[in-house]
Amino acid sequence: MAVPGVDALLAEGVKGKRVFVRADLNVPLQQGEVGDDTRIRASAPTLRRLLEAGARVAVASHLGRPKGRRVTEMSLRPVAPRLAELLGTGVSFCEDCVGESAEQAVADLGDGQIVLLENLRFHPGETDNDPDFARALAALADVYVNDAFGTAHRAHASTAGMVPLVGRAAAGDLLLAELEHLEVVRKPRRPLLAILGGNKVSTKIGVLEALVGHADVLAVGGAMAYTFLASRGEPVGNSLIEEDQMDAAARVTRAAKETGHEFMLPIDHVVAETIEAGAPSRIVSDIPDGWIGVDIGPATARAYAEQAASANTVFMNGPMGVYEVKEFALGTQRVAEALAGTDAITVVGGGDSVAAANEMGVTDRITHLSTGGGASLEYIQGLELPGVAALES
Ligand code: ADP
Ligand code: MG
């Protein structure tokens, strides 16, 4: 891979250099307190290595969707003390990410010191990738590091626009790890099993199309499966389907036949009268009128689990059912456990899929959990990520 990492920067030396780190510190805030701090923890290793090498670090991120305005509830300020705790060093905070105050805050840093800049998206220029805003960010740095994989598929000022304006650029540890593991799916040790679920064909059609010719076995679950079943004229009751994706589903099914790769749909289902905890439910092989498919059935889960046991690489994206409701989480649970138990390299991507894996307590037995939902799907499709392309050139 042509993307330089932190190792390359450290080899050249960063002592005394102003290093701008684009991190993903987009954490949930409750009453001004950091909730789940996974993203702050994940960002710490790159920051720590740079600080230990004597860099003067300005770390920047987005938080929420303030749409170009200053929104007090979306301030990154509460992140500073948590980051300080994790790094074991003071973290100062600057009320803006560009302009005089930010320039002064960076100028005030000594070697090995760090300042957290305010939410990038308080400025419309961030998501607009405005050249003036990109220049203002670039003015803060001698070296640029991107460690925010989750936004690497967006051409924003802090992920793309500013990069060529700074002398030196590299990928952070987190971003490099993401690329390396997703590369394992792009160039897998075969057989490659892809298990795709979640609620919509429309949001994942690109991945479906990319994987149908690529994966040796493609297994579909979640609500997505019902659009496939409906496109084959099978009964789906009141299950969530996308009428306008029936053609796309039929196209994927045809492509699977043509390539000769195995394509699996659920052979049994958990159906319920409503998608609610406590709703009457049962296991069926054909969905009756008036019922909603809410999870793959046990025979399907067993079939997918057997595939996981004989694969050498497994990629999973999207839960197999409405995992948020305990009674409808069993299919996702069984498949997650099969991934945890296989000797194959296992990569799980997608916000809900990672949340499900966390809830099911299997994360330490999964090779790689991809934090960047949209970015990982685009990368697996073979699309160029603007944030990565910027580092390559
Ligand atoms: P990810 O975030 O892992 O990419 P998605 O966002 O595509 O996954 O899908 C997750 C959502 O899909 C969950 O909220 C889950 O409840 C929903 N879902 C899965 N199966 C069904 C189903 N059978 N009916 C309705 N919703 C479903
Ligand atoms: Mg999701």
Side-chain angles (χ1 to χ4, degrees):
M1 220 172 310
V3 183
V6 174
D7 288 342
L9 290 182
L10 297 188
E12 285 169 23
V14 291
K15 190 171 162 54
K17 293 234 169 85
R18 299 172 306 152
V19 182
F20 180 101
V21 180
R22 173 51 161 108
D24 179 1
L25 303 172
N26 182 23
V27 291
L29 293 177
Q30 283 118 24
Q31 278 108 43
E33 295 271 329
V34 173
D36 179 7
D37 66 354
T38 308
R39 287 185 169 145
I40 309 179
R41 278 177 193 284
S43 303
T46 293
L47 296 172
R48 200 176 290 124
R49 289 176 73 201
L50 290 166
L51 293 172
E52 278 168 6
R56 306 174 172 209
V57 176
V59 56
S61 174
H62 70 285
L63 193 151
R65 294 187 176 181
K67 306 231 168 89
R69 289 177 306 120
R70 192 167 273 276
V71 179
T72 318
E73 298 74 46
M74 295 182 195
S75 171
L76 275 163
R77 186 184 282 279
V79 171
R82 187 76 197 98
L83 185 59
E85 241 174 87
L86 286 164
L87 293 175
T89 180
V91 175
S92 56
F93 180 74
C94 180
E95 314 238 325
D96 206 347
C97 59
V98 287
E100 261 174 50
S101 60
E103 281 167 27
Q104 192 56 52
V106 171
D108 288 344
L109 293 173
D111 293 358
Q113 292 186 337
I114 175 169
V115 59
L116 171 64
L117 304 176
E118 184 55 288
N119 195 338
L120 290 157
R121 292 191 190 165
F122 282 0
H123 292 268
E126 166 62 358
T127 53
D128 291 348
N129 196 8
D130 174 67
D132 288 332
F133 184 67
R135 258 192 297 280
L137 289 171
L140 303 173
D142 306 311
V143 178
Y144 171 87
V145 173
N146 190 345
D147 209 17
F149 182 72
T151 47
H153 61 318
R154 304 274 181 240
H156 292 168
S158 70
T159 60
M162 72 179 288
V163 185
L165 307 176
V166 183
R168 187 85 180 83
D173 293 348
L174 199 59
L175 189 119
L176 265 195
E178 287 277 9
L179 294 180
E180 274 163 23
H181 285 103
L182 294 174
E183 197 67 19
V184 166
V185 179
R186 277 173 34 152
K187 301 192 182 102
R189 237 180 85 216
R190 294 184 179 276
L192 165 67
L193 164 67
I195 304 176
L196 296 181
N199 50 6
K200 285 185 175 165
V201 172
S202 53
T203 55
K204 291 182 180 167
I205 188 65
V207 198
L208 278 162
E209 283 176 339
L211 286 174
V212 71
H214 179 53
D216 300 281
V217 182
L218 179 58
V220 174
M224 213 155 80
Y226 309 117
T227 298
F228 277 94
L229 290 170
S231 77
R232 297 176 170 196
E234 295 195 28
V236 292
N238 288 345
S239 303
L240 189 74
I241 64 159
E242 290 175 287
E243 293 284 353
D244 62 347
Q245 296 298 318
M246 303 273 262
D247 288 347
R251 213 164 53 233
V252 170
T253 309
R254 248 190 335 269
K257 275 210 188 88
E258 280 161 16
T259 55
H261 290 185
E262 197 161 349
F263 182 68
M264 303 173 82
L265 285 175
I267 49 173
D268 62 346
H269 317 272
V270 177
V271 293
E273 288 184 349
T274 57
I275 306 186
E276 280 167 358
S281 67
R282 54 196 172 109
I283 293 161
V284 297
S285 47
D286 289 311
I287 302 174
D289 278 351
W291 291 73
I292 305 168
V294 290
D295 193 9
I296 57 172
T300 307
R302 205 173 312 121
Y304 291 4
E306 277 167 16
Q307 290 293 341
S310 57
N312 276 322
T313 309
V314 185
F315 173 66
M316 177 171 176
N317 171 263
M320 297 291 98
V322 185
Y323 75 97
E324 298 94 330
V325 178
K326 202 162 153 267
E327 299 103 295
F328 311 149
L330 216 55
T332 306
Q333 171 107 38
R334 288 188 173 125
V335 170
E337 273 162 12
L339 258 64
T342 176
D343 293 332
I345 296 168
T346 49
V347 178
V348 173
D352 287 284
S353 315
V354 170
N358 269 323
E359 257 161 57
M360 289 159 187
V362 300
T363 40
D364 55 340
R365 286 172 292 154
I366 301 291
T367 314
H368 181 69
L369 293 163
S370 182
T371 51
S376 40
L377 296 186
E378 289 193 15
Y379 193 72
I380 281 168
Q381 282 166 61
L383 297 178
E384 183 181 81
L385 306 181
V388 176
L391 299 175
E392 281 167 340
S393 56

